[in-house]
Amino acid sequence: MMMSMMLRMTTWRTRAPMVVRASGGTCSRVIVDGGGPRRASSSSSSSSSQSQARQNNHIELSNEVKRALSKGHPVVALESTIVSHGMPFPENYDTARRVEAIVRDNGCTPATIAVINGVVRVGLEDEHLLALAKTGLDAMKCSRRDIPVAVATGITGSTTVAATMAIAELANIDVFVTGGIGGVHRDGETTMDVSADLTELGRTPVAVVSAGVKSILDIPRTLEYLETMGVPVLVSAHFLYFPTRAVLKLRYMTYVRGGWWGVY
């Protein structure tokens, strides 16, 4: 439902990605670019993604992801920080597998992204996912700026929202699903502590489906920052307020069926 709503927004003229809240349903492959959201072509985008990956020896697509892209099937990127830093082994491994299974059950191919021994991998084979899960907190937590270091030093690292978006774009994957995104920290107007996720959302044309902003952050300022960066923020028509990862007394209204958002 949310993906079909995005496709109907043909009047939007932006390369900024969208932060949306999904309510379920089968995924559709969508490109968000200067001409507005549109369906991906069957062959040109897939061939482009594989040629880009082949030109860089440090980026490897799994066989499953390669097949899906070559056939024009929908692919959904997944981040890996939740695997290394979100929970202990083996719960992290089991959870990651269940998430991938949900994506497959909805007609899409999952592409979990991580750096394994200095190689950026788009779509993890079971051995790679298991290795990352066992590495746990010893894995490097990679944002966009850390990817060159992880590749150059040959280490294993998990990817944040920002890094996953950047790599997904290189692989020509247009939709990325995650939990909570980063934002402006409390007292951020003094400390300038702003997540790189927000900057990435403003410059990388990947649609991000998330559970909202982490509730420990300054949500009103995060929404203001996203507005400044030109990022359309939408919620599913099933919801009236901007979602957070915890139940709060304050409700943050955002775009619903063309309406304006405000803080209440």
Side-chain angles (χ1 to χ4, degrees):
M1 179 177 65
M2 173 56 68
M3 291 303 173
S4 63
M5 184 179 74
M6 290 168 63
L7 286 169
R8 291 197 298 269
M9 298 175 60
T10 56
T11 58
W12 289 55
R13 292 294 182 267
T14 177
R15 282 195 60 82
M18 299 179 181
V19 184
V20 298
R21 173 65 160 87
S23 60
T26 302
C27 299
S28 298
R29 195 157 187 262
V30 179
I31 294 178
V32 183
D33 62 9
R38 58 183 173 86
R39 296 277 186 180
S41 61
S42 60
S43 60
S44 60
S45 60
S46 60
S47 61
S48 173
S49 66
Q50 294 190 50
S51 63
Q52 286 177 338
R54 287 168 181 164
Q55 290 171 8
N56 191 331
N57 294 329
H58 301 295
I59 298 180
E60 290 287 342
L61 275 63
S62 70
N63 291 330
E64 183 183 19
V65 172
K66 285 180 182 178
R67 285 194 300 269
L69 290 175
S70 67
K71 296 178 179 179
H73 292 172
V75 179
V76 175
L78 301 169
E79 52 110 337
S80 53
T81 295
I82 186 66
V83 179
S84 62
H85 290 69
M87 56 192 74
F89 182 82
E91 288 82 4
N92 55 354
Y93 173 78
D94 295 336
T95 300
R97 277 301 181 217
R98 287 199 299 271
V99 171
E100 291 186 340
I102 291 172
V103 173
R104 292 189 181 95
D105 290 343
N106 283 274
C108 301
T109 297
T112 302
I113 295 175
V115 182
I116 306 296
N117 297 326
V119 177
V120 177
R121 294 193 175 274
V122 179
L124 298 184
E125 306 293 353
D126 188 71
E127 61 182 289
H128 299 138
L129 182 58
L130 183 61
L132 179 64
K134 288 183 176 180
T135 301
L137 296 176
D138 290 332
M140 182 179 186
K141 186 176 180 180
C142 298
S143 188
R144 169 188 272 266
R145 68 169 189 174
D146 306 306
I147 298 173
V149 177
V151 171
T153 56
I155 63 175
T156 292
S158 55
T159 55
T160 64
V161 169
T164 304
M165 287 183 67
I167 295 169
E169 183 191 16
L170 290 176
N172 202 30
I173 298 173
D174 308 306
V175 178
F176 164 38
V177 174
T178 185
I181 65 170
V184 178
H185 285 250
R186 300 179 189 271
D187 299 319
E189 71 277 13
T190 301
T191 64
M192 297 299 293
D193 191 352
V194 179
S195 171
D197 295 352
L198 302 187
T199 305
E200 202 66 42
L201 283 163
R203 67 183 174 186
T204 304
V206 172
V208 179
V209 183
S210 81
V213 176
K214 297 170 185 175
S215 59
I216 61 172
L217 303 174
D218 190 326
I219 299 174
R221 284 192 171 90
T222 297
L223 288 170
E224 291 288 353
Y225 192 97
L226 288 170
E227 179 187 22
T228 300
M229 297 298 292
V231 180
V233 181
L234 303 96
V235 296
S236 167
H238 181 69
F239 299 90
L240 290 179
Y241 298 96
F242 187 79
T244 63
R245 291 194 67 189
V247 177
L248 303 177
K249 293 182 179 179
L250 293 178
R251 299 177 297 178
Y252 306 97
M253 183 171 284
T254 185
Y255 291 105
V256 179
R257 298 182 186 272
W260 298 100
W261 71 265
V263 181
Y264 293 84

